[in-house]
Each structure stands twice: as structure tokens, then as C-alpha cells.
Amino acid sequence: MIEFRVGADDFDAADLIARLEALGGGAVASFTGIVRGDDGLVSMRLDHYPAMTSAQISTLIDKAMERWPLLGVAVIHRVGLLSPGDRIVFVGTASRHRAAALEACGYLIDWLKTSAPFWKKEVFADGTARWVQARAEDDAARDRWG
Amino acid sequence: MIEFRVGADDFDAADLIARLEALGGGAVASFTGIVRGDDGLVSMRLDHYPAMTSAQISTLIDKAMERWPLLGVAVIHRVGLLSPGDRIVFVGTASRHRAAALEACGYLIDWLKTSAPFWKKEVFADGTARWVQARAEDDAARDRWG
Amino acid sequence: METLNILYFAWVREAIGKDGEQIEHPGAEMRIIDLIAMLKEKGAGYAEAFANPEKLRAAIDHAFVPLDCVLGHASELALFPPVTGG
Amino acid sequence: METLNILYFAWVREAIGKDGEQIEHPGAEMRIIDLIAMLKEKGAGYAEAFANPEKLRAAIDHAFVPLDCVLGHASELALFPPVTGG
């Protein structure tokens, strides 16, 4: 099972996890990223570069499957207007081995954050808006995968 | 949110994840272990030492919460008779930081496997049964947490 | 009389044929490994369960302890194989 | 005439006021950084978007490349800030 989607629609994390569980591997890991309502954030807009996003996520999934014995990978990334509490991103992995499932999940989210062309703009209650700045610690998290 | 349960009943992983997502942290990680139907396995029985199980899991959750800034932890472990495809164990974590959520999830499952008093007995299609042997690699996985 | 509750799990329980038993406390200075050697003499099931002490693990009052630990004033001793949950 | 499609994203797009544009291909030997310097002269929005090239990232035909890369025969160049998804 390989599934990736980029789009405006919300997704059913429970259904994705259930399908990863059904692959018979014994180990399913998942990560979900949710919009935080910190500092008076009222909404977030996610832009992306569609052709490149697809290419990058597809490559990323291939790399994860080469590196770990995975039975299934699901990567979902939302774009467009989101509110606090909305899911932004989901990564799910299934393997026969728990370490493989967990590590691949961490690898995919670290790389997604630094190599998939998404950009977040935050809008606050006072009317201000700002583009989120990339963080050096995200690059560091990615780089630990070698 | 701190939730742990040990019992014969199945659990709703989706509901647990939804509740972890609702904590506002922005990052939710989960691991689910499922009974594999390898080698003609038809059922698995999980025994445990109830008073000690509760004490160990509670201690484990405390340690994880000291080590990482977690907003929520859920640990569910089933006991009794299970079939291939059944969930055995669930660990879910919520944090403001994805690394904290993912690492704490890995820490909890590694320690659960080596320090919570559960024992698995496998029953096969040919009528044989055997107690699962502890694996050195599980101890190694635990020990990497220092 | 001080007593000690001994609990058995997994194949230790199966070999001995019971979940546990209450015995007269053998004294605070008694090491678990020496108690195991005594229990081993109680019958064929015990002899089987305790044939290889290196395959056994122990907990005193719900905490893992090495087999060369003394009992102290523990009220509950559990003997079992290495754990295999998760 | 060979053409180059340039795409802008995030605050680069906002400053310039458009998603992208098609230009006459400036040549295979042209480095991205030098093309940026040329684009910067096209108006106030461009000047703002390209004021600090070290804040920019680029992709040629959907692959990240350093700004000192030459265009080659690329048909699509994207200019944008460091990514912030996930």
C-alpha cells in the first residue's frame, strides 16, 4: 500500500491507520500534524508547487521504502485555508518491525518539512499575517538521517 | 491527558488519536502493535502480572513525561486471547513538538516490551503452542534510550 | 509468623501447576536464587520450572530485582521468564 | 525562440504580484543568481522580492538547485522562500 495525496480536503486518519493495520505487518506508526491556535492564530493558508510536491513526495516514499522494510506508507498533506485544530499532515507506515515503522515515520515527516514545496502563511486575530519562517532545527532533524 | 488501560477488551485507536489531537499540541504520534498470523499462528494468549503491570506502565509514563514536553500519553495493552489481526498494544503521544511526540512514542513502546510484565503464548494450526522468547534486540532497543 | 506470597507466571506457572503459593518467610537475608534452589526440591514441576535459573526473572513487591538480591521484608515475590509483551 | 517559465511562490509571489511569467530563455550558461539580478530591475515588486537572494531558494524542472546553478535547457524555474510545510 502506497498512498499519497495533496489537497484541500480533510482526511480520515483512522481509516488510513486501519488500512495500514490490515496489511498484516504487526507494526503501524503514525504522525499527525495539527494547526496550533497559538498567539491568536485564526487561520493558516498553505500554498504549494503542485508538480514539484508530487514529485518530491513520491521520491521521498521511494527512499523510505528502500531504506526500511515497509509494507505500507501513507502521506497526506493538506493545502489551502486551515483553522486551529485542523489536521495539516499525516504520515503512516506499516512494517513487520516496530523500529522500521517508527523510524520511517520520523524520516518521512522530517524530510517532508524540508524538501516538499509547501509554504505556510499565518493570519492572526489582530489582522496581521505573516509567512512562517523556515527553522534551522528542521534542517538539523532532516540531516540526522544522513 | 494521561490514559492507560490493561485489559481484554479491544480499543478504539481512532478515538484515542482524536483525543490526543484535540489537546492543541500540534503533533501526535502513535504506534499500534497487531498480532501477526505468521507460521500458521491461530491465536495468542497474553498473560500478565496485574499489580506490577499497572505500576510499571504508570512509572514509564511518568518517565516519558519528565523527559519530553508531552501534553498527552495513552498506553493500552491487551491481555487474554487474541487472534491474528487483533491489536495488542497502542502507544499515543501528543506534544507541541514533533520530535518529542515521535521519540516519546518510540521510548514508551521499547520500554513496554522489556519492562512491563506481559508474556505471550502462541498457538499454531498444527496444535502446538509455545511461549514467545524474549529477544536481545528488544533489550538493545530499550538500552539506546540511556 | 511472617509470610511470603510467591507468584508464578507464564511457563513457570504452567510447570509448577499453580499461580502461586504462600510460604513461611525464609528470612530477610535469604537470596532469591537460594530460595529458588529450595523450591526446586518440592517436586517434578518445580524442578522443571527452576532447572535453569538464568532463564528466570524476579520481582519483589512489583519491582524487578536481580536473582542474587535478598528478600528483605518483601511480602510478594514473583518468578517468571523474561517479559515478552508489546 | 526558446522560452523559460518562471514560477513564484509564497512572499516572492506576493511581492511581485503574479504567479509567474514566461520569458525569452536567457541562455544555458546563465546562472540563476544572475537571472535574479536581472529580474530585480523589472520594478518595485521585483526589487522587494529579490532584495536578499540568500533568502531565496530555487528549483529547476521540479528539483531543488543552488542559486549558482546555470539554467541549462530548463523549461521551468521556480523561485521561492525556504519551504515550511509539514
Side-chain angles (χ1 to χ4, degrees):
Chain A
M1 167 184 170
I2 296 181
E3 178 153 342
F4 76 91
R5 274 202 304 276
V6 175
D9 295 340
D10 194 10
F11 54 87
D12 186 341
D15 173 64
L16 288 162
I17 291 173
R19 285 163 53 209
L20 290 164
E21 286 179 2
L23 298 174
V28 171
S30 78
F31 177 83
T32 310
I34 302 125
V35 179
R36 284 204 304 256
D38 295 351
D39 305 325
L41 184 139
V42 291
S43 70
M44 177 174 278
R45 205 188 69 226
L46 269 135
D47 284 2
H48 77 132
Y49 177 6
M52 184 172 171
T53 311
S54 296
Q56 291 289 106
I57 295 180
S58 178
T59 301
L60 212 50
I61 292 175
D62 289 347
K63 283 187 183 169
M65 297 195 88
E66 275 168 30
R67 188 159 173 172
W68 290 279
L70 302 176
L71 296 167
V73 175
V75 174
I76 315 291
H77 205 301
R78 292 178 70 190
V79 292
L81 203 64
L82 301 175
S83 303
D86 285 349
R87 294 186 192 99
I88 308 175
V89 64
F90 173 88
V91 173
T93 52
S95 177
R96 290 175 53 83
H97 308 283
R98 76 179 184 289
L102 280 163
E103 287 173 18
C105 188
Y107 170 90
L108 285 162
I109 187 69
D110 283 347
W111 273 94
L112 256 187
K113 283 192 93 80
T114 52
S115 76
F118 294 97
W119 298 274
K120 285 175 182 152
K121 187 172 191 177
E122 297 173 330
V123 180
F124 297 93
D126 65 4
T128 58
R130 68 165 182 230
W131 288 97
V132 173
Q133 303 244 1
R135 302 178 319 154
E137 67 198 79
D138 286 332
D139 288 339
R142 174 201 61 202
D143 292 342
R144 79 197 159 95
W145 297 104
Chain B
M1 166 183 171
I2 297 182
E3 177 152 343
F4 76 91
R5 275 201 305 275
V6 175
D9 296 339
D10 193 12
F11 53 88
D12 185 342
D15 172 64
L16 287 162
I17 292 173
R19 286 163 52 211
L20 290 164
E21 286 178 3
L23 297 175
V28 171
S30 78
F31 177 84
T32 309
I34 302 125
V35 179
R36 283 203 305 256
D38 295 350
D39 304 326
L41 184 140
V42 290
S43 69
M44 177 174 278
R45 204 188 69 225
L46 270 135
D47 284 0
H48 76 131
Y49 178 5
M52 185 171 169
T53 311
S54 296
Q56 291 289 106
I57 295 178
S58 177
T59 301
L60 212 51
I61 292 175
D62 289 347
K63 281 187 185 168
M65 298 195 88
E66 275 168 31
R67 189 159 170 172
W68 290 279
L70 303 175
L71 295 167
V73 176
V75 174
I76 315 290
H77 205 300
R78 290 179 71 190
V79 293
L81 203 65
L82 300 175
S83 303
D86 285 349
R87 294 185 192 100
I88 308 175
V89 65
F90 173 88
V91 173
T93 52
S95 176
R96 290 175 54 84
H97 308 283
R98 77 179 184 288
L102 281 162
E103 287 173 18
C105 188
Y107 170 91
L108 285 163
I109 188 69
D110 283 347
W111 273 95
L112 255 187
K113 284 192 93 81
T114 52
S115 76
F118 294 97
W119 298 274
K120 284 175 183 153
K121 187 173 192 176
E122 298 173 330
V123 179
F124 296 93
D126 64 4
T128 58
R130 69 166 181 229
W131 289 96
V132 173
Q133 304 244 0
R135 302 180 317 156
E137 67 198 78
D138 287 331
D139 288 339
R142 173 201 61 202
D143 292 342
R144 80 197 157 97
W145 296 105
Chain C
M1 184 190 93
E2 206 180 351
T3 59
L4 177 67
N5 284 309
I6 311 183
L7 302 178
Y8 305 122
F9 292 98
W11 51 254
V12 178
R13 174 178 55 71
E14 286 185 344
I16 294 173
K18 51 187 171 188
D19 290 345
E21 56 196 304
Q22 194 173 60
I23 64 167
E24 186 179 345
H25 201 294
E29 299 304 311
M30 168 77 72
R31 295 187 309 159
I32 296 166
I33 190 78
D34 298 323
L35 175 59
I36 287 173
M38 287 168 55
L39 290 167
K40 199 172 162 182
E41 305 305 316
K42 289 184 73 172
Y46 289 91
E48 183 193 337
F50 299 139
N52 295 300
E54 71 278 11
K55 290 189 179 174
L56 295 172
R57 298 293 179 271
I60 282 181
D61 293 342
H62 311 146
F64 288 110
V65 289
L67 297 187
D68 58 4
C69 228
V70 297
L71 291 170
H73 294 281
S75 59
E76 189 167 299
L77 169 70
L79 298 172
F80 45 73
V83 304
T84 56
Chain D
M1 185 189 92
E2 205 180 351
T3 58
L4 177 68
N5 284 309
I6 312 182
L7 302 178
Y8 305 122
F9 293 98
W11 52 254
V12 177
R13 175 179 52 73
E14 285 186 343
I16 293 173
K18 52 188 171 188
D19 291 344
E21 57 197 304
Q22 195 173 61
I23 65 167
E24 185 179 346
H25 201 295
E29 300 304 311
M30 167 78 70
R31 295 187 309 157
I32 296 166
I33 190 77
D34 297 323
L35 176 59
I36 287 172
M38 286 169 54
L39 291 168
K40 199 171 162 182
E41 306 305 315
K42 291 184 68 173
Y46 290 90
E48 184 193 336
F50 299 139
N52 295 301
E54 72 276 12
K55 290 189 179 172
L56 295 173
R57 299 291 179 273
I60 283 181
D61 293 341
H62 311 147
F64 288 109
V65 290
L67 297 187
D68 58 4
C69 230
V70 297
L71 291 170
H73 294 280
S75 60
E76 189 168 299
L77 168 70
L79 298 172
F80 45 73
V83 304
T84 57

